[in-house]
Amino acid sequence: MILVTGGAGFIGGNFVLDWLANPGAEGIVNVDKLTYAGNLATLDSLKKDARHVFVHGDIGDRELIAKLLKEYKPRAIVNFAAESHVDRSIHGPAEFIQTNIVGSFNLLECAREYWNGLEAGAKEQFRFHHVSTDEVYGSLSMTDPAFTETNPYEPNSPYSASKAASDHLVRAWFHTYGFPVVTTNCSNNYGPYHFPEKLIPLVILNALNNKPLPIYGDGQQIRDWLYVGDHCSAIREVLAKGKLGETYNIGGWNEKANIDVVKTICQILDELKPRSDSKSYAEQITFVKDRPGHDRRYAIDASKVERDLGWRPAETFDTGIRKTIQWYLDNPAWIEGVVSGSYRDWLQKQYNWNLKTVNLSNEYPHLW
């Protein structure tokens, strides 16, 4: 078995599905707190798969984590569990400190105690894979080279600061205790099962519901975009072959300005599902006040993971975004299930939209 934390969220859920798509794959113990972005409907296809054990729990619950480690004896832990939305961290940083820093500390300590008790062979094989973000490196100018693994940490939001802190804890546990860790810092992920507060799914769903497509500031913020399926394959490679104590940047080699991402989505929707009035979805683009401390540019240099482990993304942005849009068009039931009352509250708070103008469903009745 392996133990996955945060495996009902966007990236974690995709990883669990990707891992278990291989009939010969090891089983997964999947621990998720099921906060607003955790959705068991993502894992519906695994209901009858005995290799998947879902546990509703918190990585900060040391008694629970210790019990699971003792019972299932995983050979690895992959830690996706995190609060991850920058805007939410600005409005309420406490949850980010608790989950991303304190929770990571508790998970590390439980895992270290478990690792210390393993027999020599199992102890040598054990791995703790910490999944992090490129946002810990701060912001780049238009002419700066892309982030490498040696860039200094310069986080600019409560979210990125909390993830930077967790990265430092993981590094310290390796150097102080010899605990067998690897860390990956990824760029902006997109793809199926993405909670619709992030840019790409928000734009897709708002476009289809004839709502404004909100763009912060001038829309010229640049991000490197990584298809989530490629991210999952990179994690598998690093988990299998990564050097202990090392950090690997995982990127898609796809730098795009936010406004260009939105215009691309509009163009593909114009083709795949035209508006009834035959006008372009681009007419729904609306510029809103920029958020505080908004980093201008992120860019990942993923040369190290390609050079050392032979990994490179399979998708370009053009192929990945088309797959993503088609998935949302093909899966209206998942969308209705994931969009909740709390999300309506979030949209109203963030963009000051009237709740009655947002066509969304009720709280997650199917989760409980």
Side-chain angles (χ1 to χ4, degrees), residues 104-117:
S104 293
F105 163 73
N106 287 327
L107 184 63
L108 280 165
E109 279 294 84
C110 286
R112 183 169 70 92
E113 183 177 353
Y114 164 73
W115 172 72
N116 278 330

Side-chain angles (χ1 to χ4, degrees), residues 52-362:
H52 180 243
V53 178
F54 180 79
V55 179
H56 180 201
D58 187 344
I59 60 171
D61 185 342
R62 293 180 66 167
E63 183 178 352
L64 172 64
I65 298 300
K67 179 181 177 181
L68 294 174
L69 292 172
K70 181 179 179 180
E71 180 176 355
Y72 291 100
K73 297 179 175 56
R75 70 162 182 90
I77 296 174
V78 185
N79 180 31
F80 295 97
E83 295 288 344
S84 65
H85 195 261
V86 173
D87 291 337
R88 287 181 180 266
S89 79
I90 294 170
H91 290 291
E95 292 183 12
F96 289 73
I97 303 303
Q98 188 62 39
T99 296
N100 298 354
I101 302 177
V102 179
S104 293
F105 163 73
N106 287 327
L107 184 63
L108 280 165
E109 279 294 84
C110 286
R112 183 169 70 92
E113 183 177 353
Y114 164 73
W115 172 72
N116 278 330
L118 293 174
E119 296 182 357
K123 190 173 185 179
E124 184 177 347
Q125 293 178 0
F126 183 81
R127 297 289 183 271
F128 184 102
H129 187 135
H130 179 63
V131 180
S132 190
T133 171
D134 61 355
E135 296 193 36
V136 298
Y137 298 123
S139 184
L140 294 169
S141 74
M142 298 301 292
T143 57
D144 285 334
F147 296 130
T148 70
E149 292 80 358
T150 60
N151 271 74
Y153 274 31
E154 297 179 342
N156 293 321
S157 70
Y159 160 61
S160 57
S162 67
K163 287 299 290 184
S166 68
D167 291 6
H168 289 319
L169 290 175
V170 171
R171 173 186 168 86
W173 260 238
F174 172 74
H175 286 282
T176 302
Y177 304 113
F179 187 58
V181 304
V182 287
T183 297
T184 49
N185 293 83
C186 68
S187 57
N188 279 35
N189 279 223
Y190 68 98
Y193 303 108
H194 206 173
F195 191 81
E197 68 180 357
K198 299 295 181 75
L199 177 65
I200 287 177
L202 177 65
V203 167
I204 295 170
L205 299 188
N206 278 16
L208 295 174
N209 284 286
N210 196 31
K211 308 302 178 188
L213 310 182
I215 307 296
Y216 279 129
D218 60 6
Q220 293 301 319
Q221 302 85 3
I222 292 175
R223 301 293 183 262
D224 174 62
W225 292 95
L226 173 65
Y227 187 67
V228 68
D230 282 331
H231 189 191
C232 292
S233 71
I235 291 171
R236 291 199 311 270
E237 287 299 308
V238 174
L239 185 63
K241 300 185 294 188
K243 183 179 178 181
L244 294 184
E246 289 291 317
T247 294
Y248 298 91
N249 282 349
I250 311 300
W253 300 104
N254 290 304
E255 285 190 57
K256 302 284 183 183
N258 286 349
I259 187 62
D260 294 331
V261 170
V262 174
K263 288 180 178 179
T264 297
I265 293 171
C266 291
Q267 291 169 0
I268 296 174
L269 284 173
D270 288 343
E271 173 193 340
L272 298 180
K273 195 174 178 63
R275 280 177 34 164
S276 58
D277 61 5
S278 299
K279 295 181 179 179
S280 174
Y281 288 99
E283 293 198 356
Q284 297 166 225
I285 292 174
T286 303
F287 291 91
V288 299
K289 183 180 178 181
D290 209 354
R291 69 184 179 206
H294 200 174
D295 291 333
R296 194 63 171 171
R297 173 175 169 246
Y298 305 143
I300 280 284
D301 183 336
S303 298
K304 178 179 176 180
V305 70
E306 181 176 0
R307 180 182 66 249
D308 293 358
L309 305 182
W311 178 87
R312 188 174 177 86
E315 301 293 342
T316 66
F317 184 75
D318 290 340
T319 61
I321 195 64
R322 184 171 288 271
K323 287 182 178 181
T324 300
I325 293 170
Q326 190 64 60
W327 186 90
Y328 277 93
L329 292 175
D330 292 343
N331 289 274
W334 183 90
I335 295 165
E336 287 301 312
V338 75
V339 178
S340 69
S342 61
Y343 179 51
R344 284 199 298 271
D345 294 341
W346 171 246
L347 283 179
Q348 184 185 41
K349 183 176 183 181
Q350 189 64 20
Y351 300 115
N352 197 29
W353 292 344
N354 189 314
L355 285 180
K356 293 181 181 179
T357 70
V358 185
N359 180 23
L360 303 173
S361 62
N362 296 324

Side-chain angles (χ1 to χ4, degrees), residues 31-43:
V31 181
D32 197 292
K33 191 177 179 180
L34 293 180
T35 56
Y36 73 96
N39 182 11
L40 285 178
T42 298
L43 307 171

